[in-house]
Each structure stands twice: as C-alpha cells, then as structure tokens.
Amino acid sequence: MAPAPAELVDRIEALRIPAQPQAAAHDWKDWYHVVLLHPASGWRAIANVNLVGGGSDAELQWTLVVHRPDGRVHGASRSQPWQAGMVRSRPLAIDGDEASFGFDGERLALRIAPPDLELQLMLHATPASTPLLVTDGAPFGSGFIGWGLLPQLQAEGRLAACGEAAAIGDGWFCYHDHNFGRFRWGEDFGWEWLVAHAACGDEAVTVVVDWRTDRAHAARGLPYLFMLVGGALRKVFLGPALRLRWRWHDDATLPPRLPGAMATRLADRTARAPRAIVLDAADERDRIALTVEIDAYLEIVAPDNRSAAIARIGESSGPTTLDLRLAGRRLEGRGLAYAEYTR
C-alpha cells in the first residue's frame, strides 16, 4: 500500500534542522516557500519563511512579494534573531513577531503581517497532490541541499498590498516547497527553477522544473521535470530529455531589489532581465512544450551571514501557454508561472 500524503510530508519535514538555534550550524539554511497564482485576475505572490545560521548568528527571516493585477509589484523582506522556543518540530511550528509558519502534515498555516506595512498574507492550505522528495544531501557549493515539495494545495485566506486585497479560494493555485542544507551564499552554485499551472479544458496541469548549475550557469547538473494532471504525478522527465532556455532583453536596467539594505548596496548595478522562458521535454512517447512570457521581474539579494558574499535570486513571473502530448492525448492550455534564475 502506498504511503498516505501525511506520511510522505512527515518524511520530508523530519529532515529539517534542530528546533534550537544553538544546535544549528552557522552555514545551515532551512526555508519554507509558497507560491500563489490566480490566473483569472492576475494576482500572484511568493512568500518565504526562513531559518538561517546557528548560535548567535541564527535568524528567522521572511520575504513576501505581491504582484497586483494592475501590474504593480510590492514586496518586503525582514529578519529577527532566532531564539530558543521560537521553533517547534513534529508538528512544525515557527512563531516570529511578523511571520509564522506551521505544518502538521495535513494543514499548512502561513501568516506574514508586518504592522507598519500595507502588505499581508494569511493562508491556510491542505495538500491536493502527491508530495515529492527530490534530493537529500545533493552536493551544493561547499555543502549540500535537499528539496521536498507539495506541487499543489487547496488554499484559502487573504492577500493584500497597498490598498488592494483579494480573497484566496477556489480558482487559486498554491505551491509549497521546503529547502534545507548547508552552504554559503556567494559560493559557486546556482539554480533554475519553475512552477507553472495551466487549465487545459476540464483538467489542470502543473509543471515543476529544478535544474542545479554553477554560478555562471555554464555547468549544469541533472534536471528534473515533474508533471501533474489533476494533482496526480503523471510524468517525470530527466537529463537530456529536457531543454530550458531563457530569453533576455537586450538592454540592462536597474531591477527592483529586496531587502532594502542589500538593494542599496547594489544601487548602481544594472542587469539584463529575462523576457521569456521556453521549455521543451520529450521522449519516445510523450512531449511537453511550455512558454512563459515574463511581465514581472525583481531580485532578492541573499547575503552570507559570516562574510560579504551574496547571491542574487531573480524572481520572474508571467502568463504561460502549454502544449502537452501525454499517453496518446493532447492537452492545450493557458495559465501562470513563477520562475527563479540565480546570479
């Protein structure tokens, strides 16, 4: 008998760092990541609640970026000391001043509500797809990284940014993953990641891609593509079966950056922004073609907690088109996608 979703989620969560900051290594990172997409209106959001470092370096961090239907992007990122008693495990509960996160295997709860900012996310969600554990201890910079994900959840709640708000419910796509590992920001590593959700007639298709690289994106590891139809895992493409291409604007501009202190440090550093992503994967039986037209881009600057090194995580989103041939069927649809490209 296959394990129940709650049991699979528990296996992923059991890999996390200790609940006490003094028990964590200085280079350890543990972050909980949620993406929200509403194709009917264009609302999009990405949220992270992170635990980083250990001992006197330990911090609880949060980031929230909201894309409103009018095209405006609002975001913030903050941190506070991670102190004893702030984190409990199995079931997981993280309680900070402005953000909290909890997951008991059956229900996820996320709150980001800074009292002095017009930015808020209140979310409750339950797994609606097959949980996946991608890697456990894969080499990454000087250390390793692991990745577990819930490609789709049934969500409800509220999202607000600068005078506009939306109720989260039916018609919203919710994705969650949990990353953990030991490495230092600024080391020779990178990644390309994408999650897309499209309505294909009466069926919903979710695509998740993860591709580890070096910092320059010249050397690449083994890519994964997971494809779910109606919340069930239906296909996995690996290695040379997959091709992911980023298309860039010709001119470099100064992109929006978070958090504020790190954005100031890079205030004069321009960058070419991506304008589209083209994904193709095929084998002797099935094929997928997906295109993302990027209409929003910003960078999150991740600083190492013990040096001046940084990594820049480019956040892209936009409408997507999907053409899928699977087990003799053809599915075509449109939706939204969120993607990352590190620098």
Side-chain angles (χ1 to χ4, degrees), residues 259-328:
M262 300 308 298
T264 300
R265 176 182 171 184
L266 301 176
D268 61 348
R269 185 175 301 182
T270 60
R272 293 172 64 204
R275 60 180 178 84
I277 305 170
V278 180
L279 169 68
D280 295 288
D283 58 19
E284 66 279 359
R285 182 180 180 184
D286 303 314
R287 178 182 179 275
I288 181 173
L290 184 147
T291 300
V292 182
E293 297 297 333
I294 297 170
D295 61 12
Y297 177 76
L298 63 85
E299 288 186 352
I300 296 174
V301 185
D304 183 67
N305 62 334
R306 289 205 153 189
S307 74
I310 61 170
R312 293 152 56 200
I313 305 171
E315 305 280 358
S316 303
S317 67
T320 185
T321 56
L322 174 71
D323 185 350
L324 171 65
R325 291 173 176 83
L326 179 67

Side-chain angles (χ1 to χ4, degrees), residues 77-308:
S77 182
R78 287 178 172 172
S79 63
Q80 70 174 100
W82 170 17
Q83 300 172 344
M86 191 178 291
V87 179
R88 301 183 300 277
S89 61
R90 314 201 61 183
L92 171 68
I94 303 172
D95 293 314
D97 295 337
E98 299 178 338
S100 63
F101 181 87
F103 201 6
D104 62 5
E106 298 283 355
R107 191 168 176 83
L108 176 152
L110 172 62
R111 172 189 65 90
I112 298 178
D116 58 337
L117 298 177
E118 293 188 67
L119 197 64
Q120 185 182 83
L121 172 61
M122 307 295 287
L123 179 71
H124 293 275
T126 56
S129 61
T130 306
L132 302 169
L133 178 61
V134 181
T135 56
D136 178 11
F140 200 67
S142 62
F144 66 92
I145 193 170
W147 184 44
L149 65 150
L150 286 166
Q152 189 172 346
L153 300 95
Q154 186 69 36
E156 59 183 18
R158 183 177 184 272
L159 180 65
C162 295
E164 296 289 333
I168 300 168
D170 292 342
W172 284 72
F173 169 74
C174 180
Y175 163 96
H176 164 64
D177 67 33
H178 170 202
N179 297 266
F180 52 92
R182 293 187 65 176
F183 56 88
R184 306 287 293 269
W185 292 117
E187 291 185 328
D188 189 18
F189 63 77
W191 67 78
E192 299 172 24
W193 164 88
L194 176 148
V195 56
H197 187 70
C200 300
D202 295 332
E203 299 196 81
V205 176
T206 302
V207 177
V208 182
V209 176
D210 180 60
W211 204 333
R212 310 291 166 84
T213 73
D214 63 357
R215 192 176 177 94
H217 297 261
R220 300 183 174 217
L222 178 70
Y224 297 84
L225 185 155
F226 298 102
M227 186 168 60
L228 298 94
V229 179
L233 182 64
R234 294 289 305 276
K235 186 75 179 185
V236 179
F237 289 101
L238 298 172
L242 188 154
R243 185 170 61 162
L244 183 65
R245 291 164 289 163
W246 294 72
R247 294 177 176 169
W248 303 87
H249 288 287
D250 292 334
D251 298 327
T253 59
L254 187 63
R257 290 188 171 107
L258 292 173
M262 300 308 298
T264 300
R265 176 182 171 184
L266 301 176
D268 61 348
R269 185 175 301 182
T270 60
R272 293 172 64 204
R275 60 180 178 84
I277 305 170
V278 180
L279 169 68
D280 295 288
D283 58 19
E284 66 279 359
R285 182 180 180 184
D286 303 314
R287 178 182 179 275
I288 181 173
L290 184 147
T291 300
V292 182
E293 297 297 333
I294 297 170
D295 61 12
Y297 177 76
L298 63 85
E299 288 186 352
I300 296 174
V301 185
D304 183 67
N305 62 334
R306 289 205 153 189
S307 74

Side-chain angles (χ1 to χ4, degrees), residues 13 16 30-33 47-49 92 94 101 176-178:
E13 292 306 312
R16 65 174 311 280
D30 194 16
W31 65 101
Y32 299 87
H33 179 203
N48 286 287
V49 174
L92 171 68
I94 303 172
F101 181 87
H176 164 64
D177 67 33
H178 170 202

